[in-house]
């Protein structure tokens, strides 16, 4: 193979046509070299033109929708998300929170019910992630509807809208509490199952214990920890 290639090279370089082409190339080089250089001409400095400044669009902002954002847990989620630079909106039955802190003015407040799926459509526009803090107590049927059905509706609507991530705040299993609050925990488990089905890779389930602290209601602060802390200890002992 090496011999064949060598012969082809030597043959092409020694042919009359190649010699004519080589002479032509040499003449062109001479012409270029003699015409382009003027010994009496002073080289001028290069002119550097300023590049046009292109205004690049800002990076897309993550838009978070907090379901139940005016509640005790939801309000903390909204405030923390804002501190991380996220665009935050909230959907709840009462709409805008009664919170008077400055961060509340930066949240877009939507009013609607998760039991009416159509009320979610506008709130989900452009949303990239959802955090559901929706839950409640009452009769077994009411607890199942609020903790289960309402969240299932939200999960399905978010999946249909193309939301990338859904975080569901569920509840830790305390054994005895499961029996006393049957509708509450059955609703939570139904919502968890739906989330794992619709958001196989983008679903997150949090199961905190009893959440307590000081909740601001109007001008009054309610110390939930006074009841919550000993109640959580009692439930953990009986688990």
């Amino acid at each position: 193979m090496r011999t064949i290639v060598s012969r082809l090279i030597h043959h092409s370089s020694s042919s009359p046509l190649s010699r004519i082409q080589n002479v032509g190339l040499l003449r062109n080089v001479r012409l270029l070299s003699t015409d382009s250089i003027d010994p009496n001409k002073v080289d001028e400095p290069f002119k550097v033109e300023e590049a046009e400044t292109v205004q690049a669009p800002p990076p897309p902002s993550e838009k978070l929708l907090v379901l139940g954002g005016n509640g005790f847990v939801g309000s903390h989620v909204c405030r923390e998300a804002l501190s991380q630079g996220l665009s935050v909106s909230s959907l709840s039955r009462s709409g805008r929170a009664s919170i008077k802190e400055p961060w509340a003015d930066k949240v877009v407040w939507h009013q609607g019910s998760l039991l009416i799926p159509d009320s979610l459509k506008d709130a989900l526009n452009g949303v990239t992630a959802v955090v559901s803090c929706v839950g409640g107590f009452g009769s077994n049927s009411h607890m199942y509807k609020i903790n289960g059905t309402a969240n299932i509706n939200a999960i399905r609507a978010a999946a249909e809208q193309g939301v990338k991530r859904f975080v569901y705040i569920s509840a830790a299993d305390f054994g005895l509490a499961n029996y006393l609050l049957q509708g509450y925990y059955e609703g939570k488990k139904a919502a968890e199952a739906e989330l794992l089905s619709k958001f196989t890779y983008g679903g997150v389930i949090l199961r905190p214990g009893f959440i307590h602290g000081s909740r601001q209601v109007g001008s009054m602060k309610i110390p939930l920890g006074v009841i919550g802390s000993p109640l959580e200890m009692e439930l953990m002992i009986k688990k």
Side-chain angles (χ1 to χ4, degrees):
M1 178 62 72
R2 187 177 299 172
T3 305
I4 295 173
V5 174
S6 177
R7 287 178 181 177
L8 288 172
I9 294 174
H10 289 307
H11 175 73
S12 61
S13 61
S14 60
S15 63
L17 180 60
S18 64
R19 286 198 295 273
I20 292 172
Q21 290 173 341
N22 291 339
V23 171
L25 287 172
L26 289 172
R27 285 178 179 174
N28 288 336
V29 171
R30 291 193 190 99
L31 289 172
L32 288 171
S33 61
T34 55
D35 291 346
S36 60
I37 300 176
D38 186 354
N40 298 320
K41 186 177 180 180
V42 178
D43 291 338
E44 296 180 357
F46 290 105
K47 293 181 179 180
V48 180
E49 295 183 0
E50 185 178 353
E52 182 182 355
T53 303
V54 179
Q55 295 293 338
S61 174
E62 294 291 329
K63 186 176 179 181
L64 176 68
L65 172 63
V66 181
L67 303 178
N70 59 357
F72 179 65
V73 176
S75 61
H76 282 76
V77 174
C78 289
R79 183 171 59 185
E80 182 62 26
L82 287 169
S83 70
Q84 298 298 319
L86 302 181
S87 174
V88 180
S89 59
S90 168
L91 175 73
S92 60
R93 287 179 295 175
S94 57
R96 181 180 173 83
S98 58
I99 301 170
K100 302 300 181 183
E101 297 178 30
W103 64 264
D105 295 330
K106 300 177 182 179
V107 177
V108 178
W109 301 97
H110 298 278
Q111 185 174 10
S113 172
L114 298 185
L115 297 175
I116 306 174
D118 288 343
S119 66
L120 272 163
K121 290 182 179 179
D122 291 339
L124 283 170
N125 284 336
V127 168
T128 55
V130 174
V131 176
S132 178
C133 309
V134 173
F137 298 95
S139 65
N140 278 327
S141 60
H142 178 76
M143 287 190 291
Y144 186 90
K145 185 167 61 175
I146 297 301
N147 297 282
T149 306
N151 284 295
I152 290 171
N153 289 343
I155 292 166
R156 291 175 179 174
E160 291 174 2
Q161 198 79 4
V163 174
K164 295 186 295 184
R165 186 174 293 276
F166 197 109
V167 180
Y168 176 51
I169 299 181
S170 186
D173 187 346
F174 285 114
L176 177 62
N178 285 8
Y179 176 76
L180 298 176
L181 302 172
Q182 185 176 356
Y184 179 86
Y185 281 97
E186 286 182 354
K188 293 284 189 183
K189 289 178 181 178
E192 289 182 9
E194 187 68 22
L195 180 60
L196 295 176
S197 172
K198 292 293 189 292
F199 289 86
T200 307
Y201 300 104
V204 178
I205 298 171
L206 301 179
R207 295 174 182 153
F210 191 89
I211 301 175
H212 49 80
S214 295
R215 179 173 181 177
Q216 185 78 33
V217 179
S219 60
M220 182 173 59
K221 284 188 176 181
I222 301 176
L224 299 178
V226 174
I227 301 173
S229 185
L231 179 60
E232 182 179 20
M233 292 293 293
E234 182 69 16
L235 291 172
M236 290 181 67
I237 293 172
K238 293 182 178 181
K239 183 177 178 181

